[in-house]
Amino acid sequence: MKRFLPLLAVAALVAVPAASARPSAPPTLEAGKLIVAFGDPTPGFASGTVRGNTVTNPRGYEVDLAAAVARKLGVTPQWMYSPWNSLFAPGKKGFDIAFQEATITAQRKRTVDFTTSYLNANQGVLLSKQAPVPHSLADLKNMQLCAQTNTTGLDWINTQLHPSKKAFAYPTTTAAYQSVQINRCQAMILDVPLVSLERKARPSKYGPVAGQVVTHEQYGAVLQKGSKLLAPVNAAMKTLTADGTVGKLQKKWFSLNFATIPVLK
């Protein structure tokens, strides 16, 4: 004869796997929210209105990607501003995750955690309207260059190119772009996607994007060192890459073929 468990016992056994299958809330700073930090407005990536430490109405690839990650985590994104120069400082962050076109490097990984890459990039050369067009690295070496501080572009200038004139370094991309616009800086060295989209947004203010330098860089979103949010965010980004979401967002926001920009050697 078959034995029958009491009804309450059966219900308890059924309830256990149901409860264990329920996903736990992600370890964000505020329950139900994903605090996402952006830097200076960047065409194509994250452009919005910055007031103090808030960003309103942001639009761009990184904004859509952050919103998609938040949906996968089951939380609501909340936008904020965080300056570039403090992004890699050690210690507690005021955000859960920052999307600021940050190249993953071993040095930066000493103080912060990076997600898996969400875009590959080389360094680009954006000219002022009065600058001669360089056709080689030797030509570039003799120009007045500039870059943003704490960037891989400035590091490449100083450690690889060794120009004949000391490069100007600016704390923000806005200041560096303005220097190019007034021809104080003849050529700005910054990631190809950034300078290409900046010129597309304001074509009358610049000369061409004259070339690129192959550096094989990868962008990663930044989290506090040791963040328990890293694993669930990486899982979400892996899914978004596999299902084609990342590719669709890149096509939506980057209507340029960066590969057509000549490589300077």
Side-chain angles (χ1 to χ4, degrees):
M1 178 182 287
K2 295 181 180 178
R3 290 186 175 182
F4 292 93
L5 290 172
L7 186 59
L8 289 177
V10 174
L13 290 173
V14 172
V16 169
S20 62
R22 185 181 303 162
S24 58
T28 55
L29 292 175
E30 296 184 29
K33 296 180 181 179
L34 182 71
I35 300 176
V36 182
F38 302 118
D40 294 332
T42 304
F45 283 87
S47 294
T49 301
V50 177
R51 289 190 178 90
N53 66 347
T54 64
V55 179
T56 57
N57 301 319
R59 298 176 68 256
Y61 170 55
E62 290 175 325
V63 180
D64 285 358
L65 180 57
V69 168
R71 285 194 295 272
K72 290 292 182 183
L73 297 178
V75 293
T76 302
Q78 178 176 306
W79 319 121
M80 69 168 287
Y81 172 79
S82 182
W84 171 263
N85 281 340
S86 65
L87 186 61
F88 307 112
K92 188 174 179 61
K93 303 296 184 186
F95 53 77
D96 290 305
I97 188 168
F99 286 83
Q100 296 198 35
E101 311 91 54
T103 296
I104 302 169
T105 69
Q107 181 178 359
R108 291 171 177 175
K109 288 173 72 173
R110 295 174 184 172
T111 55
V112 299
D113 281 341
F114 282 96
T115 65
T116 55
S117 175
Y118 61 90
L119 191 72
N120 298 333
N122 291 321
Q123 289 297 310
V125 181
L126 176 64
L127 301 184
S128 73
K129 295 178 72 173
Q130 292 78 30
V133 176
H135 298 288
S136 65
L137 294 180
D139 292 342
L140 191 64
K141 186 178 292 191
N142 292 318
M143 300 177 69
Q144 179 59 66
L145 307 179
C146 66
Q148 185 180 4
T149 54
N150 297 323
T151 61
T152 50
L154 183 60
D155 182 67
W156 178 81
I157 291 172
N158 293 331
T159 64
Q160 302 296 319
L161 186 65
H162 304 293
S164 58
K165 304 173 187 176
K166 183 176 175 61
F168 298 137
Y170 297 96
T172 66
T173 51
T174 301
Y177 284 138
Q178 289 174 345
S179 183
V180 178
Q181 291 170 15
I182 64 174
N183 197 41
R184 184 166 189 263
C185 168
Q186 291 181 301
M188 178 178 174
I189 308 300
L190 189 64
D191 307 2
V192 166
L194 305 186
V195 293
S196 298
L197 293 166
E198 169 67 17
R199 188 186 183 279
K200 181 182 177 183
R202 302 171 181 85
S204 65
K205 294 183 179 294
Y206 304 100
V209 176
Q212 62 180 308
V213 181
V214 177
T215 52
H216 299 298
E217 299 177 41
Q218 294 184 315
Y219 290 169
V222 174
L223 298 91
Q224 182 173 316
K225 189 69 177 176
S227 173
K228 294 180 180 179
L229 197 59
L230 181 61
V233 167
N234 275 345
M237 292 182 68
K238 182 179 180 180
T239 299
L240 292 168
T241 300
D243 68 13
T245 298
V246 170
K248 290 176 183 176
L249 292 179
Q250 290 179 0
K251 186 175 181 180
K252 172 184 176 181
W253 291 104
F254 307 148
S255 55
L256 293 172
N257 184 0
F258 304 130
T260 61
I261 299 172
V263 173
L264 297 182
K265 299 179 180 179

